[in-house]
Amino acid sequence: MANPLIAIVGRPNVGKSTFFNKVAGRKISITEDKPGVTRDRLYADAEWRGKAFSMVDTGGIELRSDDTMWKEIKKQAEVAIDTAQVIMLFVDGREGLTSSDYDVADMLRRSKKPVILVVNKIDEYSEEKVFEFYSLGLGEPYPISAEHGTGIGDLLDEAVSWFEKVDTTEDESIKIAVVGKPNAGKSSLVNRLLGFERSIVTDIAGTTRDAIDSKFTFNGTDYTIIDTAGIRKKSKVEDDIEYYSVMRAFDAVRRADVCLLVVDSMDGLTEQDTKIIGYVHEQGKPSVIVMNKWDLVEKDTNTINKFEDKLKEDLKFMSYFKSVYISAKTGQRVEKILSIVGEVYEHSRHRVATGTLNDVISDAVRSNEPPSYNGKRLKVYYASQVAVAPPTIVLFVNNSNLLHFSYERYLENVLRKSFDFSGTPIKILTREKSERT
């Protein structure tokens, strides 16, 4: 089940990202130079007083357009209303109230969701500095200094107090997010999948406007499809479509057990597709690349091989991907999707016995010793799988800094050859352990 989500909204330069980074405990805004990894890390997981939650910094998206500042702020607020359980509205305690603050506050107030008013950049508290912000009609302002970390504890106490009011009913169904760019055929695929089995339990409104969570049963297994197909209703402006499709997809991915990335075979993987699947990979979600509209592709005996080679090239950062070539329109091979979903779901929850895992890692280290750096060499004492979904392996080592990325990739490849983790990312972590302990 997805963690409760806190959305951080407000006009530019009020300190949203500073707060986001402070609570996340690391500079999320620094991007990794890896192909396919999302350029802006919008989401981060955190914990406060034993309660896990996720945050979204709505200021993390830059649109290459001539939109007015108000239009951008309005879109950010709308996304927050759609996806979050708790909303934090940030305002600038030094600059004071602006007309944009009033506009956003009015929109958030109508959302009927919990809104916490955060007055940032209050280095030394005085009642006079926050008094004017009561006029926004959002209740008591919370004065903080994100830069210095003051007031954040009280703010997070208030935020997590709302989580108990969020519906936390356990849902045992396998949740499938259907994501991809507009016109890739997501809606047609969803309709095909739901048409397989007549026992559709219920259609309920999802957490995002224009998205529907459809519950159904197939071959005795319960599924929930999270469909993000209603995006085009938002605006005729192309940049808005891009903005909303990515945000909707990110929210669907966050809630899902398995993700289907629907790709138009005629177009191939686009930059937006790669951005979405990069986020799926980062979130540790198993996935299936669904090459749709396969009936429209001119084929010879090597066509699928050529497409697979191109996917391998474009998705080097996730060589474990599983793919299927279908036509949602004609129904060609659509029946294979749920069986592949079941496979990658099980692979993401596979546990390896500690003894077996250590045998594999020990053999790998003996066959290919870690390189030495400045006369020091990585020693791997033992390994343990500490989590599933995704499978997470902890290596107990002498010095974590000696595990080079290339050697980590080598160990991952060894694990994948030894155990079937196809379709799911795996995580390798290190903990330092002295030889004496």
Side-chain angles (χ1 to χ4, degrees):
M1 181 175 176
N3 292 335
L5 180 65
I6 297 175
I8 304 167
V9 301
R11 56 192 174 82
N13 300 319
V14 293
K16 300 187 299 294
S17 294
T18 303
F19 172 80
F20 182 81
N21 290 335
K22 181 79 72 174
V23 176
R26 59 198 190 280
K27 269 202 168 182
I28 303 296
S29 56
I30 295 177
T31 58
E32 296 176 89
D33 189 15
K34 293 182 186 176
V37 176
T38 54
R39 294 295 178 184
D40 294 299
R41 296 284 299 276
L42 298 173
Y43 286 90
D45 295 325
E47 186 176 297
W48 180 252
R49 299 194 184 281
K51 294 180 180 178
F53 59 92
S54 298
M55 299 180 295
V56 57
D57 178 6
T58 57
I61 290 181
E62 294 292 338
L63 288 179
R64 292 189 293 269
S65 71
D66 296 325
D67 289 346
T68 63
M69 183 180 293
W70 162 239
K71 188 175 181 182
E72 179 69 14
I73 294 169
K74 184 171 183 286
K75 286 190 299 184
Q76 292 177 3
E78 286 175 345
V79 172
I81 290 170
D82 286 348
T83 60
Q85 281 73 48
V86 177
I87 301 166
M88 290 183 178
L89 172 59
F90 270 62
V91 293
D92 191 324
R94 291 180 195 158
E95 186 177 338
L97 278 170
T98 69
S99 58
S100 292
D101 292 329
Y102 280 105
D103 289 335
V104 177
D106 186 51
M107 178 186 296
L108 296 179
R109 192 166 47 249
R110 291 198 306 269
S111 75
K112 308 298 183 185
K113 289 193 176 184
V115 180
I116 304 171
L117 176 60
V118 184
V119 184
N120 193 23
K121 305 182 184 179
I122 302 292
D123 298 332
E124 292 184 10
Y125 173 75
S126 69
E127 194 170 312
E128 293 76 19
K129 291 180 179 178
V130 299
F131 183 77
E132 67 173 319
F133 294 98
Y134 279 95
S135 64
L136 291 176
L138 294 174
E140 181 180 354
Y142 279 78
I144 72 162
S145 171
E147 185 177 358
H148 299 115
T150 56
I152 289 179
D154 289 342
L155 174 59
L156 292 177
D157 282 345
E158 172 67 13
V160 300
S161 72
W162 287 97
F163 296 165
E164 296 171 3
K165 304 178 177 92
V166 176
D167 184 11
T168 56
T169 306
E170 283 297 328
D171 181 355
E172 298 298 325
S173 65
I174 298 176
K175 285 163 280 298
I176 305 170
V178 182
V179 297
K181 65 183 180 63
N183 290 331
K186 298 187 297 294
S187 292
S188 298
L189 176 59
V190 167
N191 289 338
R192 279 281 178 183
L193 289 172
L194 294 176
F196 279 160
E197 178 61 48
R198 299 296 188 265
S199 62
I200 297 175
V201 179
T202 180
D203 285 341
I204 55 175
T207 59
T208 60
R209 212 162 45 216
D210 300 334
I212 295 294
D213 288 9
S214 300
K215 294 180 177 293
F216 71 103
T217 301
F218 179 69
N219 284 349
T221 301
D222 294 331
Y223 298 91
T224 300
I225 289 185
I226 307 169
D227 179 17
T228 57
I231 299 160
R232 279 201 179 276
K233 295 177 185 176
K234 283 296 168 193
S235 173
K236 297 176 183 177
V237 180
E238 192 170 326
D239 278 334
D240 284 354
I241 295 170
E242 166 82 9
Y243 181 91
Y244 278 105
S245 64
V246 172
M247 289 299 290
R248 297 278 184 248
F250 282 5
D251 185 66
V253 168
R254 213 176 55 84
R255 296 193 288 131
D257 297 313
V258 177
C259 298
L260 301 181
L261 178 71
V262 184
V263 178
D264 185 333
S265 295
M266 300 294 287
D267 296 340
L269 275 184
T270 65
E271 182 180 350
Q272 181 172 332
D273 291 324
T274 307
K275 184 173 186 177
I276 294 171
I277 200 65
Y279 183 74
V280 171
H281 170 75
E282 282 189 331
Q283 292 294 297
K285 304 288 185 176
S287 58
V288 182
I289 311 297
V290 179
M291 301 298 292
N292 191 26
K293 305 185 184 180
W294 192 240
D295 55 314
L296 302 180
V297 174
E298 291 187 19
K299 306 173 195 63
D300 57 34
T301 53
N302 291 318
T303 303
I304 280 191
N305 292 334
K306 290 175 183 175
F307 270 74
E308 280 292 288
D309 289 343
K310 185 66 167 64
L311 285 177
K312 288 174 185 176
E313 178 65 27
D314 293 340
L315 299 176
K316 281 182 178 176
F317 64 96
M318 49 175 291
S319 58
Y320 57 83
F321 74 87
K322 298 275 284 187
S323 59
V324 61
Y325 293 78
I326 68 136
S327 168
K329 184 177 180 180
T330 67
Q332 179 186 17
R333 281 194 287 274
V334 173
E335 76 282 353
K336 291 187 176 181
I337 291 177
L338 291 180
S339 64
I340 299 176
V341 164
E343 284 179 31
V344 301
Y345 178 81
E346 292 302 322
H347 294 168
S348 74
R349 283 157 174 74
H350 179 61
R351 281 193 180 273
V352 180
T354 302
T356 305
L357 178 62
N358 278 277
D359 288 344
V360 169
I361 294 293
S362 297
D363 288 346
V365 172
R366 276 195 297 268
S367 299
N368 180 15
E369 280 197 340
S372 61
Y373 296 95
N374 299 322
K376 296 180 180 179
R377 192 184 301 276
L378 178 77
K379 292 182 180 178
V380 181
Y381 300 121
Y382 61 93
S384 177
Q385 183 175 350
V386 297
V388 297
T392 304
I393 311 296
V394 171
L395 304 178
F396 291 85
V397 301
N398 59 331
N399 186 335
S400 295
N401 294 327
L402 295 176
L403 179 59
H404 191 268
F405 172 77
S406 60
Y407 198 76
E408 180 181 335
R409 179 59 59 89
Y410 161 70
L411 292 177
E412 178 179 337
N413 289 337
V414 168
L415 289 169
R416 290 191 180 280
K417 288 177 183 176
S418 303
F419 312 105
D420 192 352
F421 287 126
S422 57
T424 182
I426 62 177
K427 290 185 178 180
I428 297 177
L429 309 175
T430 59
R431 290 182 191 161
E432 291 184 3
K433 176 182 181 295
S434 70
E435 294 184 70
R436 297 177 183 175
T437 58

